[in-house]
Amino acid sequence: MVISKIVGAVFKIPLTNILGGIGMGYYSTAYSLYTPVFAMTAAAVPTVIIKAVADNIALRRFANAQKVLRTAVVIFGATGLIGTAAILALARPFSDTVAQSPQRVWGIIAIAPSVFLCCISSVYKGYYEGCCNMMPSAVSQVAESVCRAVTGLSVSHLVIEYGMKCYAGGKRVFGVIAGSESEAVDIIMPYAAAGAVLAVTVSELCALVCLLVRKKVCKRIIDTSAGDTSTDRVAVIAKRLIKSCIPVSAAAIVVNLSSFIDLITIPRCLNFALSSDPGYFTACFSDIIKTQGGAVRLANFMYGSYTGLSWTMFMLIPSFTAMFGRSALPQIAGAWTLGNRKEFERKVTVVLRSNFVIGFPLYLGLSAMSRQILEFLFSGRQQEVTVSATSLFILGLGGVFLTLSSTFISIFQVIGRSDLPVKLMLPGCAVKLIFNVFTISVPAININGAAVSTVIMYAAVALGGYFALENVTGIDFHIIRRMAVPLSAGIVCAVVSRIVYGFVRESVNAVAALFLPIASGGAVYIILLIIFNEINLKSLLNRQKRKKF
């Protein structure tokens, strides 16, 4: 799974370098419609299947766990087809009215089949993870990530190359006459972004093939003849799965609502700010306005830069940290089902601690070195970096709240309280909507208002989740105490990185000026964890000795 996250990062970074701010704006729009439909149809599938399978295995109903798999494939396959049809039907009206850009329709159409494919693959992933076998999911995710990277980068590059050859040869560019090179780029970018989005569909197909081949070739991982061999009726299983999916899907819709809020508010609020004080934007972004084809394209450029650079880097960390505690989620579900409070508390503590120890230094370090990281990764996109650096700094500071809120939401879902993420996120999204409108519309704040509102939203969700977790479980997890050392050490780590950067930036090359501060901060962080016994060296050494023997 680590490999899949690395490959995912490798994909997004060069893709942004290929498409730029304008192209990433088109790319992000396709996800804005895909995300809520995916949330309604496929997002709940892994969590629901994990819980259903884990509960049956905990009760030694192995035959019923296998029947859950067969029933789920039929139910969620049909659901996925409906989701794909919905995206295809909404593609044109969504791009014309909501996104206010008819050219964005191609990316939306390209991503539509992935909903059906993801529904099926999610059933198998949830089944294997519910059996505490992470290998099939990990292999399929690696295959999916590699396929997405290769396909997305290749197709988008070939589309741009083909379009520019047509322009250079005096031919029509995708059926349109381009009067200048900048006009040709404007015509090409929606198709290049659609090519990158098409990679999502191709990669989901690749992941599904991997899972189906694994099921066909390898033997079953549970013995259906053991334990209680009785099974529930298909109708009972189907009703139970659908009933479990509704609150999880609602939670997924609300959790992903923030990206839709950004789509409908950022361009409009930026255009309002631009019209209210054009002089400010001309003074601050004159080079961008000139090279991107005028002030009329500035809002889309800033939106694409924010989603392509700042948001990509920010969301890379939770996708990385989540996998460290993911293996404990089926065990948390099983302990909760059996009423084993001691084991439940122990496993929840493992998830909390792993997310704190890994997440806090990554977010705070990202904030401390935000501009330097963006300049290193997107060296050919200095204008996009200029727009995104401050917003990434703000998002990094708020990463502490995202770590907390995402951990709480995962725990609520596996213990069957999927209503709580909805109750927590709805007020948070309302707060984000309000702050988006009132901050982005201020010219001096502009795109940075989206980052500020996101941090406030996750802070509100984290606070509500803190009280809800202890209220629902009746267990005091000592969350403040458990996060004190990783948070304090993470702050020291970020400060050390900035201090070291100040010393070395003039005397070494750009690569060393980035990695020396990061390495110094990381080393200090590990030392502090050892000093305060967050990392037990003796225990680690003993574990390694046991592995050798």
Side-chain angles (χ1 to χ4, degrees):
M1 293 180 73
V2 175
I3 296 173
S4 69
K5 302 305 177 184
I6 294 172
V7 173
V10 171
F11 166 59
K12 250 329 185 32
I13 292 165
L15 180 65
T16 303
N17 282 316
I18 291 171
L19 297 180
I22 295 292
M24 288 306 293
Y26 291 120
Y27 181 85
S28 300
T29 300
Y31 274 93
S32 296
L33 177 58
Y34 166 80
T35 299
V37 176
F38 172 84
M40 285 187 285
T41 55
V45 176
T47 302
V48 169
I49 300 301
I50 286 173
K51 178 168 173 53
V53 172
D55 286 351
N56 277 286
I57 289 176
L59 299 171
R60 296 187 58 79
R61 301 189 68 197
F62 303 119
N64 202 55
Q66 192 69 25
K67 194 170 183 179
V68 166
L69 171 64
R70 294 194 300 269
T71 307
V73 168
V74 176
I75 292 173
F76 295 118
T79 304
L81 283 174
I82 294 171
T84 293
I87 292 180
L88 292 173
L90 294 171
R92 176 59 69 182
F94 182 87
S95 57
D96 289 346
T97 57
V98 179
Q100 297 182 323
S101 177
Q103 304 97 317
R104 299 173 192 257
V105 69
W106 305 114
I108 297 172
I109 291 172
I111 205 171
S114 65
V115 175
F116 167 72
L117 297 170
C118 191
C119 279
I120 302 296
S121 62
S122 294
V123 170
Y124 287 103
K125 289 178 184 177
Y127 171 75
Y128 287 122
E129 291 181 25
C131 296
C132 294
N133 184 357
M134 302 298 170
M135 186 57 68
S137 294
V139 171
S140 68
Q141 285 180 350
V142 170
E144 176 188 340
S145 298
V146 171
C147 182
R148 182 180 302 179
V150 172
T151 306
L153 296 176
S154 300
V155 174
S156 58
H157 176 75
L158 289 172
V159 168
I160 293 173
E161 191 176 68
Y162 170 77
M164 295 310 295
K165 278 185 179 179
C166 291
Y167 168 73
K171 300 178 182 178
R172 290 176 179 264
V173 180
F174 294 105
V176 180
I177 298 174
S180 64
E181 185 174 326
S182 62
E183 285 185 22
V185 171
D186 285 342
I187 296 168
I188 293 167
M189 276 305 161
Y191 297 96
V197 171
L198 180 64
V200 178
T201 297
V202 176
S203 64
E204 290 294 346
L205 177 61
C206 180
L208 179 57
V209 169
C210 288
L211 290 165
L212 292 176
V213 169
R214 196 271 177 205
K215 186 176 185 297
K216 188 74 174 175
V217 173
C218 300
K219 63 181 181 179
R220 290 182 177 179
I221 57 177
I222 57 175
D223 183 3
T224 55
S225 62
D228 183 357
T229 57
S230 65
T231 60
D232 297 329
R233 290 185 297 111
V234 171
V236 173
I237 296 174
K239 183 178 179 181
R240 192 178 296 137
L241 290 175
I242 294 170
K243 186 178 179 181
S244 300
C245 267
I246 292 172
V248 179
S249 295
I253 293 169
V254 175
V255 167
N256 291 288
L257 192 59
S258 62
S259 60
F260 186 76
I261 291 172
D262 283 340
L263 172 67
I264 62 175
T265 56
I266 290 177
R268 289 170 173 81
C269 292
L270 284 174
N271 283 325
F272 175 83
L274 182 61
S275 63
S276 64
D277 192 356
Y280 175 84
F281 286 92
T282 302
C284 295
F285 305 106
S286 57
D287 291 341
I288 297 175
I289 292 172
K290 189 182 300 180
T291 57
Q292 297 301 324
V296 69
R297 292 189 174 88
L298 182 61
N300 186 50
F301 176 82
M302 296 181 84
Y303 170 68
S305 299
Y306 173 76
T307 56
L309 278 70
S310 301
W311 192 250
T312 295
M313 297 307 300
F314 178 62
M315 294 308 293
L316 183 63
I317 296 174
S319 64
F320 179 74
T321 56
M323 63 189 176
F324 289 95
R326 189 173 181 83
S327 60
L329 293 180
Q331 296 167 7
I332 290 174
W336 181 260
T337 300
L338 296 174
N340 189 339
R341 289 173 59 87
K342 187 176 180 180
E343 181 67 8
F344 175 78
E345 182 178 358
R346 190 175 72 84
K347 291 299 181 181
V348 169
T349 301
V350 168
V351 174
L352 289 169
R353 186 174 177 276
S354 63
N355 286 352
F356 293 165
V357 169
I358 297 168
F360 289 169
L362 291 179
Y363 279 119
L364 295 171
L366 180 67
S367 180
M369 302 293 293
S370 56
R371 178 173 288 276
Q372 291 72 32
I373 291 171
L374 291 179
E375 287 177 345
F376 175 75
L377 295 174
F378 306 98
S379 56
R381 295 290 179 178
Q382 287 302 311
Q383 292 182 339
E384 285 85 347
V385 170
T386 300
V387 170
S388 306
T390 303
S391 58
L392 181 57
F393 169 79
I394 297 167
L395 288 171
L397 293 177
V400 172
F401 302 118
L402 176 57
T403 301
L404 286 166
S405 59
S406 59
T407 304
F408 295 148
I409 287 171
S410 297
I411 295 170
F412 291 143
Q413 288 176 340
V414 298
I415 66 173
R417 289 302 307 269
S418 300
D419 59 307
L420 289 175
V422 177
K423 294 174 181 177
L424 293 171
M425 285 298 300
L426 270 178
C429 287
V431 169
K432 176 176 173 59
L433 177 61
I434 294 168
F435 274 88
N436 259 22
V437 171
F438 285 101
T439 56
I440 300 172
S441 300
V442 177
I445 301 176
N446 55 78
I447 192 66
N448 300 319
V452 172
S453 64
T454 299
V455 172
I456 295 172
M457 176 188 72
Y458 282 124
V461 173
L463 182 63
Y466 170 78
F467 290 110
L469 180 64
E470 296 191 350
N471 183 57
V472 168
T473 62
I475 300 171
D476 184 1
F477 291 99
H478 306 288
I479 293 172
I480 301 298
R481 178 166 60 82
R482 295 187 189 283
M483 65 184 284
V485 172
L487 180 58
S488 301
I491 293 171
V492 174
C493 164
V495 172
V496 168
S497 296
R498 287 304 306 177
I499 293 172
V500 172
Y501 176 75
F503 280 112
V504 304
R505 62 179 176 179
E506 300 293 340
S507 55
V508 297
N509 59 40
V511 176
L514 174 64
F515 286 99
L516 281 176
I518 292 175
S520 302
V524 169
Y525 179 73
I526 293 172
I527 291 170
L528 288 173
L529 291 186
I530 294 172
I531 291 173
F532 289 101
N533 206 33
E534 282 292 318
I535 295 179
N536 192 320
L537 285 179
K538 186 177 179 180
S539 175
L540 288 175
L541 291 173
N542 289 335
R543 190 178 303 172
Q544 290 300 319
K545 288 179 181 178
R546 286 196 298 270
K547 285 183 179 179
K548 288 180 181 179
F549 294 103

